[in-house]
Amino acid sequence: MNKFYLKKHYLPLVLASVVCCCSLSTTGHARAAGLVHEKGSAKVQQTITGTVKDATTGELLAGATVGVKGVARTTSTDVKGAFSLVAPDDASVLVVSFIGYVTQEVLIAGKTRIDVSLQPATTDLTQVVVVGYGTQAKKDVTGAVKSLKSEAFNKGIINAPQELLQGKMAGVNVTSVSGEPGGMLGITVRGPGGVRTGSTPLFVVDGLPLDNSSTGGGDPLNFINPQDIESIDVLKDASATAIYGSRGANGVILITTRKGKAGASSLQFSASAGFSSLARALPLFTASEFRAEVPKLGGTLDDKGGDTDWQKEVTRTAFTQNYNLALSGGANKLTYYASFGMQRQEGIIKDNEMNRYSGRFNATQKFWDNDRLVVEVNLGVSNTKNERPPISTIIGDAIGNNPTYPAYDANGQQARYENMNNPLMYFDLDDDITTINRVTGNISPSLRIIKGLVYKLNFGIDNATGTRDIVNKPSAVPQRDGRLETWHNYNRNSLIENYLTYTYDQGLHNLSAMAGHSYQKIFVQGRNTSINKFPISPVDPIYNPGLGQELTLANNRPGGYAFINELQSFFGRVTYQYADRYLVTANFRADGSSKFGANNKYGFFPSFSLGWKISEENFLKGSSSISSLKLRAGWGQTGNQEIPSKITQALFTSTVSGSTSYPLYGTGPYPAGTVYSRLANPDIQWEISKQTNIGLDFGFMRGALSGSVDVFNKISSNILLEVIPADPVQPAGTFWTNVKDMTITNKGVELDLEYRQHFTASGLGFNLGGNITYMNNEVKKSPYSVIPSGSASGSGLTSATINGYINGEPIGTFYLKEWTGFDNNGLSTYADLDKDGIVSDKDRVAAGTALPNVLYSFHGSVNYKNFDLTANFNGVSGNKIYDNTANASFYKLKLSKNVNTTPEAIAYPEESVNNSAPVSTRYLKDGAYLRLNNVTLGYNFNTTALGIKNWVNSLRLSVTGQNLFVATKYDGYDPEVNTDRTINGISSYGIDFMSYPKAKSVIFSLNVSF
C-alpha cells in the first residue's frame, strides 16, 4: 500500500490532480479531518493517534498493525511505537495486532487518541523457538520442543534458571536439594537414564554449551542473572536433541539472554525486597512436653530449668534485596542490551548468605548493503560469594538438644555445656566461604555469501575461578586448635564452531540445510592446602594462614587434580516443507571424545521427524473452531558421556604398605610399591539413548484454547558401570565397561493446556493452564541383583544402604528390610522373605521409588484494567522419601537419654525403649505434595494520568508470595528433598538427612521503565 503524507495546504492540489486524472485514488494519514473520495461518495473522516506497547514490560512495539474493523485500512507503528490512522467517522473499533501478541479490539468511542497494551501470546504457534544451531517458527517444529518466555517465568527469589522452569513444562522435573541459598538444583527431562552418568541435561547459553562441573560448590548455573534471560527452550525428544549428539541423552536446555531492539531505546530499573522465614518447623517436644515424656520412658530427666526452642534459636527472618538496571535499544544497524544486577540473599539459618553481582552486554552489529554481515556479541560476568556455617551439624544439634537447657547464660553470653553442644557457637567459630568469578562470552559473525547461503562462526569462552575457605577457629571452650583448609578451582571451557546454512524457498517447496564442525576443550583444575593449630587471636586464619603452627605433612599434605576433556564434532540438519503442510526434519552428529577408548573415539547420532499441519488442509483451513492442528512423529539416537575423565586408561598407585611393598633388606624402611588401581579399557564408548515420540499440537477457538500431547518411549543402553572382573586373578579389583544388555527405560505421556480470554470492553482478561506427565522408569537386564546406593547416616547406621538399582524396578528404588511391627518384647520385627529363620540383607524388598510417576502443575491469572493476579501450583505423586533424619534421631532410646525428638518417637506405646532403629521401611514415607509455588498481585500505574509519561513509560508495583503452603503427608521439613548420599559415584535419590529447611517468602517489587 502506498502512503502519501500530506500537509493541509497541499490537499486542494491533490484533489485537482484526482479530478484531472480521473484514475488516481489516494490513501494516507492527515493531520486533521478532511474529505476523502471513497467509491464516488464523500465521507467525513477522523484521525486517530496513539501508541502500542507490551503490556508486561511497557516496551513500545515498532511494526504493530493498527486497522479499522470492517474497513480495508491499516497502518503500522513507527520506531517509537506510535501510529496515526485516518478512519471513517462512524468507525467504532480498532484492531491491533503484532506477531507474538494477542490481537486486541479497542473501542473508539469518540476518542482521537488511543494507547494500546498488547498481551504476549505465549501459546501463539507463530512465535519463534530456539533449536540447536538456529531458530524455527513454532508452527514448523517437528520435535518435542517447549519454549517458555520471560513473562511466564516463576516469580519470587530466584537463584538459578532451573527455578524459573519449575512446574512450567510437562516432562521436566526440577527439585531443590535443600532450601539453602545457591544450593544445588536437580533437573531431569523425561526421567534419569544412567547409573554412573547422571541425569543432568546439557545447558546451552546463547549458543555456548556449558560444562556441568561445579567451580567450588553450589549450583553451576548460579552465575546467570535470571533478569537477563529472555527465553528458555527445552529440547525433550531425541529427534530434537540429536543435533547435540553425545550430550543429548538427558535433554537440552537452551537459554537465550535479552537482546536490544532497533528504535526502542529503554532504561529499565527493578528493585525488590523479600522477607523469608522457616516454612515448616519440625514438631519437636517443647520443654514442658520434654519434662513429661522423659520420665515415662524410665529416663532420668536432666532439667536445667530453661525453655528453649533450638530451631528458633538457629533460624531467623531473612532479608533479600535484588536490584537490576538494564539499558537496551539501537538503530537499524546496531542494537544493544546492557545490564547490571545485584542480589544479596540471607538464608533462614543464621550466618548464611549468598551475594551475587552480575553484568551483561549483548550487541548485534550489521554491516554492508542489505546487512550481508552480522556480528553478534554476548558477554556475561559474575561474582558470587556464599558464606555458610556447618549446616548439618547445626540442624542436628537444633533438633536434638535438650529444650530445658538455656541458649544463653546469666550474662547474656552463649551458654557452654560439657555434655551438649550449643549450636550458636558454630556461628562464631566456623565458616565455609566460597567465592566464584565467572566470565562467559561468545562472538558470532555470520556472512551471507550468496542468496540463501550463510556462513556462521561461533567462538565462545567460559572461564571460572573459585576459592573455598573452610575455617575452624581455635577456641578454649570447647577446646580445639583450629584449622584452615583452602581449595582453589579453575575451569576453562573454550568452543569454536563453523557452519553453513542454506535456505531455498520457492512456491510449494521450502528447504533448509545446515552443516558444520565444532571443537570444544574443557580444562578443570583443583588444588588444596591446609594448616592446623592456630593461636587464639582476633585475626581470622583466612587473613593470615602463616599463624598456623602445625606444618607437618601428615595432617596437611597438599593435594590437587587436573584433567582435560576434548570433543570434536561434525553435525548437520535438513528441513523440508511442502505446501506449508508436510514437514520433514533430519539431524545427524558425529562426536569424537577424549573420554572414550582408542577403539571407540567416535559415536554417530542420527534422528528424523515428520510433521503434518492438518489445519492447513482444505477440509480444515479457515475453520472457525480449529485454528491450528499439527501431528508430529520422530525417532532419534543420542548419547551420554558424563563420566569421569581418563577411565579408559590404566591407573597406578604408589604406596607404602604391607600389601604393596616388599622389604629389600632386613632392616630399614619399606620402599614404595606400585600397583594397578584401574585396568585400561580401549573399547569403552557412549551410553546410547534411543527415543520415539508422537505428538499433537492444537489450537481451538481462534487460539484461545491451545496445547499439546506427547507420547514418548526412551530406552538407554550400553550402560556404563564400574564392575568386578569375571576372572578373579586380576591386578585390579574393578574396571569400567559398557554393559551391553542392560537398559533403562523411560516412557510416558505429557499433556499441556492453556486457555486465554480477554474482554476489551470491560478491561477484563484471564488465562488458565497446566500440564501433567505420567511417566514410568524401569531398569532391565542388570548384571547385578542390586547395585547399591544411598548411604545412611547416623549412629549405628554407618555402611547401611537405602537405594538400589534392581531389575524390573525404577531408578531410585528403595531396597530395604520390610518392617512388620513389634514382637512381645517391643522389639522391631522384619519380614523373613526367604524363610531361613534369619533376617538379613537377603530379605530386602523393593519398597517403592523416589521418582514420581505423576508430575503436574496448574496456573491461572486474571487482570482487570491495571490490576493483575497470577498463581502457580505444582506437585508430584507416586514417590517415596526415606526420612534418614527420623531414622537417626527420633526414637525412644534417644528421648530417654535426654535427647529431644518429635512425637514420632513415641508413636507406638508397645515399642521397647531399647528397640534399635536400623534402616527399614519404617522410615519410608509418602513424598507426594501440592505446592503453591508463587502468587503475585501487581498494579500497573497510568503514567499519563500521573503526568509523568514524558519521563516514565511504565511503573509497576507488585507483591509476591513464594512457597506459602504445601499440602503433603510428609512430616519432615519439606517433601522436595534429595540429600546427596552417593556411593562410589552411583546416584542416590529421595533421601532426607539434616536437610536445610525450605523458606516461605514475601517479596515486594518495583519495576520502572524510562
Side-chain angles (χ1 to χ4, degrees):
M1 182 183 297
N2 296 321
K3 299 179 182 178
F4 297 89
Y5 296 85
L6 305 177
K7 292 185 178 181
K8 189 173 182 180
H9 59 272
Y10 287 150
L11 189 57
L13 178 61
V14 173
L15 293 175
S17 299
V18 172
V19 173
C20 293
C21 297
C22 298
S23 61
L24 176 65
S25 65
T26 61
T27 62
H29 301 294
R31 295 182 182 271
L35 296 175
V36 176
H37 287 274
E38 208 168 289
K39 294 183 180 181
S41 62
K43 290 187 178 180
V44 178
Q45 307 291 292
Q46 56 179 326
T47 299
I48 301 172
T49 62
T51 59
V52 179
K53 65 180 180 180
D54 184 307
T56 303
T57 65
E59 179 183 352
L60 295 170
L61 301 177
T65 300
V66 182
V68 179
K69 189 172 184 179
V71 179
R73 185 173 299 172
T74 61
T75 188
S76 299
T77 55
D78 60 19
V79 293
K80 295 184 179 180
F83 69 89
S84 178
L85 177 67
V86 175
D89 188 55
D90 58 354
S92 59
V93 176
L94 286 184
V95 179
V96 185
S97 62
F98 192 65
I99 294 175
Y101 291 80
V102 178
T103 298
Q104 190 173 146
E105 296 185 359
V106 184
L107 294 177
I108 297 175
K111 293 178 287 187
T112 59
R113 178 175 177 84
I114 299 176
D115 294 316
V116 182
S117 297
L118 293 183
Q119 294 288 341
T122 56
T123 58
D124 188 355
L125 291 178
T126 62
Q127 68 175 284
V128 173
V129 299
V130 180
V131 294
Y133 303 99
T135 60
Q136 282 184 289
K138 186 176 180 181
K139 63 184 179 64
D140 298 331
V141 172
T142 55
V145 179
K146 181 68 175 179
S147 182
L148 190 70
K149 305 302 180 184
S150 57
E151 58 271 9
F153 290 163
N154 284 319
K155 305 297 189 295
I157 300 174
I158 305 294
N159 291 316
Q162 301 95 305
E163 295 173 283
L164 301 172
L165 290 176
Q166 188 172 40
K168 292 293 186 177
M169 294 184 181
V172 179
N173 188 22
V174 178
T175 57
S176 55
V177 172
S178 72
E180 182 178 358
M184 292 291 294
L185 290 165
I187 180 169
T188 59
V189 178
R190 292 185 169 178
V195 178
R196 291 295 303 267
T197 50
S199 57
T200 303
L202 173 68
F203 289 92
V204 181
V205 179
D206 290 327
L208 177 62
L210 302 181
D211 175 41
N212 286 327
S213 298
S214 176
T215 309
D219 192 89
L221 294 183
N222 279 342
F223 75 98
I224 303 176
N225 183 356
Q227 294 288 333
D228 287 335
I229 299 176
E230 177 68 31
S231 65
I232 301 177
D233 298 86
V234 179
L235 314 183
K236 296 194 286 188
D237 72 333
S239 70
T241 63
I243 195 67
Y244 288 102
S246 65
R247 294 173 293 177
N250 293 324
V252 180
I253 296 180
L254 307 171
I255 298 173
T256 303
T257 58
R258 296 183 184 274
K259 306 293 188 292
K261 296 181 180 179
S265 297
S266 173
L267 172 62
Q268 295 182 327
F269 173 75
S270 65
S272 65
F275 300 89
S276 305
S277 59
L278 181 63
R280 291 172 13 126
L282 296 182
L284 299 167
F285 286 123
T286 63
S288 59
E289 293 168 337
F290 186 84
R291 292 184 177 101
E293 295 299 336
V294 171
K296 292 180 182 179
L297 300 178
T300 302
L301 180 65
D302 181 8
D303 190 348
K304 291 294 190 291
D307 185 2
T308 304
D309 183 342
W310 288 104
Q311 287 184 104
K312 187 175 181 180
E313 291 295 332
V314 302
T315 59
R316 64 182 173 184
T317 297
F319 179 60
T320 297
Q321 47 189 324
N322 196 322
Y323 306 97
N324 292 276
L325 182 67
L327 300 91
S328 64
N332 290 333
K333 294 288 186 179
L334 172 66
T335 58
Y336 64 90
Y337 172 86
S339 72
F340 173 78
M342 184 191 79
Q343 178 168 307
R344 300 175 63 90
Q345 181 183 357
E346 293 180 343
I348 58 173
I349 291 182
K350 294 176 180 177
D351 205 33
N352 176 212
E353 183 174 331
M354 189 193 84
N355 299 324
R356 178 179 61 209
Y357 299 90
S358 63
R360 175 160 292 277
F361 179 75
N362 296 340
T364 301
Q365 176 73 64
K366 299 176 181 179
F367 298 91
W368 304 341
D369 294 338
N370 300 318
D371 302 331
R372 192 166 185 174
L373 175 64
V374 179
V375 179
E376 296 182 9
V377 176
N378 303 289
L379 177 65
V381 296
S382 68
N383 170 268
T384 306
K385 184 177 181 181
N386 200 329
E387 299 183 44
R388 61 195 304 270
I391 302 295
S392 296
T393 303
I394 289 171
I395 293 175
D397 287 344
I399 65 177
N401 277 3
N402 186 328
T404 70
Y405 277 47
Y408 300 93
D409 60 23
N411 299 319
Q413 303 297 313
Q414 294 173 8
R416 305 291 175 124
Y417 302 103
E418 293 184 359
N419 62 337
M420 189 189 81
N421 291 326
N422 185 337
L424 299 179
M425 71 179 183
Y426 297 115
F427 299 126
D428 296 329
L429 297 179
D430 296 283
D431 273 319
D432 186 344
I433 303 173
T434 300
T435 302
I436 301 173
N437 295 305
R438 192 163 182 178
V439 178
T440 60
N442 63 316
I443 181 169
S444 303
S446 57
L447 174 66
R448 188 171 71 255
I449 301 172
I450 60 174
K451 182 180 179 181
L453 181 63
V454 176
Y455 160 76
K456 188 167 186 176
L457 165 69
N458 183 24
F459 174 73
I461 192 78
D462 177 4
N463 197 86
T465 58
T467 300
R468 182 183 182 191
D469 291 309
I470 304 172
V471 186
N472 307 115
K473 298 176 185 177
S475 171
V477 181
Q479 196 284 323
R480 65 181 192 178
D481 291 337
R483 175 178 171 84
L484 170 64
E485 183 176 354
T486 301
W487 285 85
H488 298 282
N489 299 280
Y490 175 61
N491 290 23
R492 184 177 66 243
N493 171 9
S494 58
L495 171 78
I496 184 166
E497 295 176 325
N498 296 271
Y499 54 98
L500 290 166
T501 304
Y502 177 73
T503 56
Y504 173 83
D505 189 357
Q506 189 68 38
L508 298 176
H509 306 279
N510 183 295
L511 173 70
S512 175
M514 182 269 294
H517 170 267
S518 173
Y519 173 74
Q520 190 165 12
K521 182 178 181 179
I522 297 168
F523 173 70
V524 178
Q525 181 186 30
R527 293 177 293 170
N528 65 289
T529 59
S530 61
I531 189 167
N532 284 8
K533 201 171 184 179
F534 285 83
I536 298 176
S537 75
V539 179
D540 192 307
I542 289 178
Y543 303 115
N544 192 352
L547 295 177
Q549 299 170 6
E550 184 182 325
L551 304 177
T552 61
L553 289 179
N555 295 321
N556 297 290
R557 183 179 297 275
Y561 62 89
F563 58 82
I564 296 175
N565 294 325
E566 295 176 276
L567 189 70
Q568 178 171 246
S569 310
F570 301 90
F571 54 87
R573 175 175 54 231
V574 175
T575 63
Y576 173 72
Q577 295 185 36
Y578 176 74
D580 198 31
R581 292 198 295 272
Y582 311 111
L583 316 172
V584 179
T585 302
N587 291 287
F588 178 80
R589 188 172 181 119
D591 275 334
S593 174
S594 62
K595 285 189 174 184
F596 293 96
N599 298 337
N600 285 301
K601 280 294 182 186
Y602 278 86
F604 305 99
F605 307 97
S607 77
F608 65 87
S609 54
L610 305 173
W612 177 24
K613 297 182 186 177
I614 307 173
S615 55
E616 295 299 313
E617 297 290 353
N618 292 331
F619 58 84
L620 279 182
K621 196 168 186 178
S623 170
S624 59
S625 58
I626 301 177
S627 53
S628 63
L629 190 63
K630 181 177 65 175
L631 181 65
R632 297 176 280 106
W635 174 92
Q637 178 174 293
T638 53
N640 192 340
Q641 66 153 16
E642 295 304 314
I643 56 174
S645 301
K646 304 178 182 179
I647 63 167
T648 62
Q649 304 171 24
L651 178 65
F652 304 90
T653 303
S654 294
T655 58
V656 178
S657 70
S659 61
T660 62
S661 304
Y662 187 82
L664 299 180
Y665 307 100
T667 59
Y670 278 41
T674 301
V675 297
Y676 271 102
S677 296
R678 181 179 64 225
L679 298 179
N681 185 350
D683 296 321
I684 293 179
Q685 59 181 316
W686 287 270
E687 289 183 351
I688 296 174
S689 176
K690 297 179 181 179
Q691 187 173 171
T692 303
N693 188 95
I694 299 175
L696 183 69
D697 300 325
F698 53 84
F700 302 131
M701 302 160 58
R702 296 186 178 180
L705 176 64
S706 62
S708 63
V709 59
D710 283 86
V711 180
F712 64 90
N713 185 26
K714 181 172 73 171
I715 301 175
S716 300
S717 59
N718 257 22
I719 303 299
L720 282 159
L721 283 179
E722 189 176 12
V723 301
I724 299 171
D727 185 351
V729 183
Q730 288 283 353
T734 62
F735 73 102
W736 280 82
T737 189
N738 294 97
V739 182
K740 301 293 183 183
D741 297 328
M742 183 178 178
T743 62
I744 298 173
T745 301
N746 288 279
K747 57 184 177 181
V749 179
E750 301 170 348
L751 175 64
D752 282 279
L753 281 176
E754 188 85 20
Y755 179 73
R756 293 177 175 273
Q757 191 59 265
H758 184 78
F759 304 98
T760 305
S762 63
L764 175 67
F766 68 90
N767 81 289
L768 297 171
N771 62 72
I772 189 168
T773 304
Y774 297 94
M775 184 161 51
N776 289 312
N777 178 284
E778 185 178 4
V779 177
K780 296 180 181 179
K781 297 182 180 179
S782 169
Y784 300 100
S785 57
V786 60
I787 302 173
S789 180
S791 60
S793 295
S795 178
L797 304 179
T798 305
S799 78
T801 60
I802 297 172
N803 289 137
Y805 292 71
I806 307 166
N807 282 319
E809 300 292 340
I811 286 178
T813 291
F814 295 101
Y815 192 55
L816 305 166
K817 295 177 184 177
E818 185 178 357
W819 181 68
T820 56
F822 305 99
D823 61 15
N824 294 332
N825 297 318
L827 303 180
S828 291
T829 58
Y830 305 92
D832 180 13
L833 297 180
D834 61 4
K835 306 300 181 183
D836 64 355
I838 301 173
V839 177
S840 65
D841 283 345
K842 296 179 181 179
D843 297 303
R844 291 193 178 208
V845 296
T849 176
L851 300 185
N853 55 27
V854 178
L855 313 172
Y856 63 94
S857 72
F858 52 93
H859 60 267
S861 67
V862 59
N863 60 281
Y864 178 69
K865 296 184 178 179
N866 292 347
F867 285 97
D868 56 81
L869 177 67
T870 303
N872 294 279
F873 296 81
N874 69 283
V876 301
S877 66
N879 61 306
K880 301 287 184 67
I881 298 172
Y882 192 82
D883 193 349
N884 192 178
T885 300
N887 192 177
S889 305
F890 302 151
Y891 51 91
K892 281 186 177 180
L893 184 60
K894 286 268 190 179
L895 184 59
S896 71
K897 293 183 176 181
N898 290 279
V899 177
N900 203 6
T901 70
T902 66
E904 182 177 357
I906 57 172
Y908 301 98
E910 68 272 26
E911 181 180 9
S912 169
V913 71
N914 295 315
N915 187 37
S916 61
V919 170
S920 72
T921 58
R922 178 179 180 179
Y923 298 99
L924 189 63
K925 301 177 180 180
D926 189 347
Y929 69 85
L930 170 63
R931 187 189 310 276
L932 175 56
N933 193 312
N934 56 84
V935 58
T936 299
L937 175 64
Y939 182 79
N940 298 292
F941 288 88
N942 186 331
T943 56
T944 301
L946 293 175
I948 58 175
K949 183 66 177 179
N950 291 336
W951 302 278
V952 179
N953 286 330
S954 64
L955 176 63
R956 175 179 169 82
L957 286 176
S958 62
V959 59
T960 297
Q962 189 174 15
N963 189 32
L964 295 184
F965 83 85
V966 57
T968 182
K969 294 180 180 178
Y970 185 63
D971 54 4
Y973 277 126
D974 195 272
E976 186 187 319
V977 64
N978 185 22
T979 307
D980 183 10
R981 306 304 302 172
T982 297
I983 297 176
N984 196 28
I986 299 173
S987 301
S988 62
Y989 295 86
I991 298 173
D992 184 1
F993 180 69
M994 304 300 174
S995 299
Y996 197 114
K998 291 282 198 313
K1000 59 182 177 182
S1001 306
V1002 177
I1003 305 101
F1004 300 91
S1005 301
L1006 167 70
N1007 295 76
V1008 187
S1009 176
F1010 302 94

